[in-house]
Amino acid sequence: MRLPTVIAVALLAAPPAAAQQQPYPTRFTRALAEVPAVRDAMRHIDDHFEAQLAEWIRITEMPAKSEHEERRAAYVKAQLEGMGLPVVTDSIGNVTTRLRGTGGGPTLVFAAHLDTVHPMETDVTVTRRGDALHAPGVFDNSASVANALQALRAMLASGLKTKGDIVIVFTVQEELGLRGMAYWLDRNPADLLVALDGGLGSVNYGALGIYWSRMVFSGEGSHTNTSRGKPHPARAAAQCILDIYRIPLPPAGAPVSAVYNVGILDGGHVVNAIPQEVSFTVDLRTVDPALLATLDTAIVHTCGRAAAAEKVTFAREFIQKNEAGGRPEALADRRRHPIVQTSVDVLRYLGVELPAGREAAPTGSTDANVGVVRGIPTVAVGRSRGGDQHTLSEWADGPSARIGTKQIILLAAALAEVAERPVP
Ligand SMILES: [Zn+2]
């Protein structure tokens, strides 16, 4: 198959020049962590960790499939009001609160998504085995919701003051394509954005572009008895699936790669007829906007050719479209924004080991993506250790959420600029 030249160019492009030698700018210092109010807030996390674990379990056990986050949203709202904080619930369902700064600092926005991917009838009872908590949704992203609530309590209890406002948004519909975050950023300003999502230790400052499409093939259909030689949407779809998997991709592990998957196949109602409609979905992902567009076009053209060969009609429907943040070299400036190195330094201060040279990654698929593509200095940082997210065997390591929560406090103090002078 003839390939658009852009793919070839992407394949040949040299990796970014060797990692630069100058240190990246940071807003974190050890002295900052020694500011009495910061220290007190950190101690508050240690002193109340059992209560935090109990609340984390309570939140996990509230089913919250995307678009059905109401119970969690009501719980979070009640907790925030109990802390004496202002609460705004917008019309899509995001719950927002704000700690007012003393003035003159940036508005720092944290985002923690309320929703999970699990159907409402899923058993979300948490079982504890040693330090591990097991339940669908316990890791992604119930941990961040609990962490954010506890970080707020700790900052209030310690009297921690920052120059900038600290805004925490509990977003909805993250798993449906970051819809709650997009809705929020359409209506609210943010100088800095930190998404709380992912495994503890991750610092992502880019955005994986993700296109979800449904490829629909339609024809007139026919009884099997009269089907010979008739246009056949299933044959067109089958040919198209085979053909799109022949589109070459940059090798896995290349500086910029891409991946796609045919996930849902659908069509036909009866055994004894050519179906009138057959469809399949494509999930296409890469951080490179040009490669995303090129591959998308190649896939759509491939489907169009398969449809024409079978004399059926073809239409592509977008299910969701999240744009890509850029190739690593295009994101070099992003890496130099202090929000990234501050996040790395905070984790190291908290004793989290990060691989040298790969402390931060120019990718991401969280609420942070919405900030990245809008040009807002943005990172996504993790919540706890854990695994098997989006599955029934999802689990999380309880004690690691303590670090995830302290991370929020240190990021708030560093990025929203603690108002109290560090002790000399
Ligand atoms: Zn998540």
Side-chain angles (χ1 to χ4, degrees), residues 17-377:
Q20 60 153 13
Q21 296 306 305
Q22 311 112 291
Y24 293 113
T26 183
R27 300 226 171 106
F28 179 78
T29 60
R30 286 186 167 265
L32 184 82
E34 294 302 319
V35 169
V38 175
R39 235 178 23 219
D40 289 352
M42 307 269 275
R43 191 174 309 124
H44 188 277
I45 301 303
D46 288 328
D47 291 348
H48 298 81
F49 192 64
E50 270 310 310
Q52 181 178 338
L53 273 177
E55 180 170 60
W56 179 5
I57 291 170
R58 208 152 52 240
I59 291 166
T60 305
E61 292 183 342
M62 296 175 195
K65 185 175 166 55
S66 308
E67 296 186 298
H68 301 279
E69 303 93 341
E70 299 84 358
R71 238 181 106 189
R72 283 192 190 192
Y75 175 83
V76 165
K77 179 170 186 277
Q79 293 304 311
L80 297 171
E81 285 171 349
M83 296 178 216
L85 291 171
V87 184
V88 174
T89 303
D90 61 26
S91 33
I92 197 170
N94 299 309
V95 179
T96 303
T97 191
R98 179 182 299 263
L99 292 177
R100 281 245 170 257
T102 57
T107 295
L108 168 63
V109 178
F110 289 100
H113 70 85
L114 292 166
D115 58 317
T116 78
V117 297
H118 303 286
M120 294 300 277
E121 61 276 16
T122 308
D123 182 359
V124 287
T125 310
V126 176
T127 52
R128 289 177 79 162
R129 281 178 226 137
D131 283 336
L133 307 178
H134 296 258
V138 67
F139 184 45
D140 184 14
N141 195 27
S142 310
S144 290
V145 175
N147 290 358
L149 286 174
Q150 195 69 346
L152 279 168
R153 291 189 190 100
M155 290 191 278
L156 290 168
S158 68
L160 178 64
K161 286 268 173 284
T162 52
K163 292 180 187 167
D165 285 6
I166 296 169
V167 176
I168 300 197
V169 193
F170 297 88
T171 60
V172 295
Q173 300 182 32
E174 190 268 354
E175 303 285 6
L176 284 186
L178 320 178
R179 287 189 196 158
M181 188 82 258
Y183 184 94
W184 197 91
L185 283 176
D186 280 344
R187 290 161 180 79
N188 297 278
D191 294 322
L192 302 165
L193 176 64
V194 177
L196 305 171
D197 202 347
L200 181 70
S202 57
V203 177
N204 290 332
Y205 60 95
L208 186 61
I210 302 177
Y211 284 3
W212 284 4
S213 303
R214 182 174 290 111
M215 307 305 188
V216 185
F217 299 83
S218 320
E220 288 186 358
S222 171
H223 191 285
T224 306
N225 286 338
T226 53
S227 64
R228 191 177 286 206
K230 293 265 174 73
H232 205 307
R235 287 174 52 121
Q239 191 59 52
C240 181
I241 291 172
L242 292 174
D243 287 346
I244 64 179
Y245 274 102
R246 292 193 188 103
I247 297 173
L249 298 175
V256 172
S257 198
V259 67
Y260 46 75
N261 175 55
V262 172
I264 302 173
L265 293 94
D266 199 12
H269 298 290
V270 294
V271 177
N272 54 355
I274 292 177
Q276 287 181 297
E277 187 176 293
V278 170
S279 69
F280 63 87
T281 60
V282 178
D283 176 6
L284 168 65
R285 302 170 169 228
T286 174
V287 296
D288 181 357
L291 187 58
L292 186 61
T294 304
L295 286 172
D296 182 63
T297 303
I299 290 168
V300 169
H301 283 173
T302 300
C303 292
R305 273 196 303 274
E310 286 295 331
K311 299 187 174 60
V312 300
T313 59
F314 163 68
R316 181 265 285 280
E317 298 166 0
F318 268 117
I319 302 168
Q320 136 183 352
K321 206 175 172 188
N322 289 115
E323 297 300 340
R327 299 171 61 82
E329 56 272 32
L331 289 179
D333 282 347
R334 294 307 193 91
R335 179 64 181 88
R336 281 189 284 272
H337 190 282
I339 195 171
V340 182
Q341 190 60 33
T342 300
S343 303
V344 169
D345 290 347
V346 161
L347 282 166
R348 289 218 167 109
Y349 175 80
L350 291 170
V352 178
E353 282 188 29
L354 303 176
R358 287 182 287 118
E359 300 89 346
T363 183
S365 44
T366 66
D367 276 340
N369 290 32
V370 187
V372 172
V373 296
R374 283 164 204 237
I376 300 166

